Amino acid sequence: ACTLSFSYAYSAEKIMVPEQLMNKKVCIVDSAFIGPHDSILLENAEKMHLNSMENALANLRSGKTDAIIYDTNVLNYIAARNPDLMVLPEKYFEKNMVFAINSSKTNLKSLVDSKIDEMTANGQLENMRNYWFSERGMTSPMPEIIITPKTEGGNNLIYGTCGMNEPFAFIGNDTKVIGYEIELAMYVAQTMEAQFFVETMPPLELMPSVEQGKVDMAGGFMEGSPMLKNVISSKPYFKSSVSIMVLKK
């Protein structure tokens, strides 16, 4: 399972405000959520781009970098599980997250948007957010969602993910991919009466796979991102911002 919990010896200045990071090394975890304008943050700092949170945490704890820039909710979740880490209170660039849907799947977009509207109105999305983004940083088990595929003329819903973005989509204790986005996609499959499949792949392969129809949809993309130009975007399903995580001493 991917727990994002590490133990290293480190020695670093205690960072309490962003201004202390001037001329220091800062890690940006590359993802569809982090947009190009996020590099404007701490423009006087030296930026290091890494492709996973695990690598970013290892670099922070070993003293190779002094801070991590990423999604506020994910950083708070990680900090709650690691007493040596803290998230600075400043928040930047409020943004929405959307699903990328294959351009030929217009009916799927309608179903996804309707499900997001329904679950927003009845409070289910907010309950899911509270469930997966526990302030205690606990890994929650996947709720049981019963999907009954049609016996005749049924279809499939294939969801693409890197499986490394806890708690949005990550490998659980039973080696299955679980998380906030997976639960939401499963409710869509339930409404479709479709068989649900998850395909894991490196992050850079997600968008090409959606574009080429290898998967029907994938999550974690920033609304309005140029990456979405060749696909259909769903309505926003999650609102967040960008924050800075540092070592606590």
Side-chain angles (χ1 to χ4, degrees), residues 186-228:
M186 288 185 71
Y187 286 125
V188 173
Q190 185 183 60
T191 300
M192 294 172 60
E193 298 179 290
Q195 294 190 72
F196 182 70
F197 300 96
V198 177
E199 294 285 345
T200 58
M201 63 195 72
L204 293 179
E205 294 182 15
L206 279 175
M207 185 54 73
S209 294
V210 177
E211 292 175 349
Q212 297 164 19
K214 295 179 180 178
V215 300
D216 299 310
M217 60 186 286
F221 293 91
M222 183 181 68
E223 185 179 32
S225 168
M227 297 177 68
L228 298 166

Side-chain angles (χ1 to χ4, degrees), residues 3 61 71 77 88 103 106 168 191 195 219 244:
T3 61
R61 285 190 166 115
D71 170 69
Y77 176 87
L88 300 183
S103 59
T106 53
F168 285 107
T191 300
Q195 294 190 72
I244 301 168

Side-chain angles (χ1 to χ4, degrees), residues 31-55:
S31 75
F33 179 77
I34 297 296
H37 59 284
D38 295 337
S39 295
I40 298 171
L41 271 177
L42 309 176
E43 54 186 342
N44 292 318
E46 180 182 342
K47 307 292 176 30
M48 174 188 293
H49 288 261
L50 293 174
N51 62 3
S52 75
M53 181 58 70
E54 289 91 339
N55 289 338

Side-chain angles (χ1 to χ4, degrees), residues 11 18 28 33 45 62 75 133 146-148 160 170 193 197 234:
S11 175
I28 296 177
F33 179 77
S62 67
L75 292 184
F133 290 85
I146 299 174
I147 299 174
T148 307
F170 62 102
E193 298 179 290
F197 300 96
S234 73

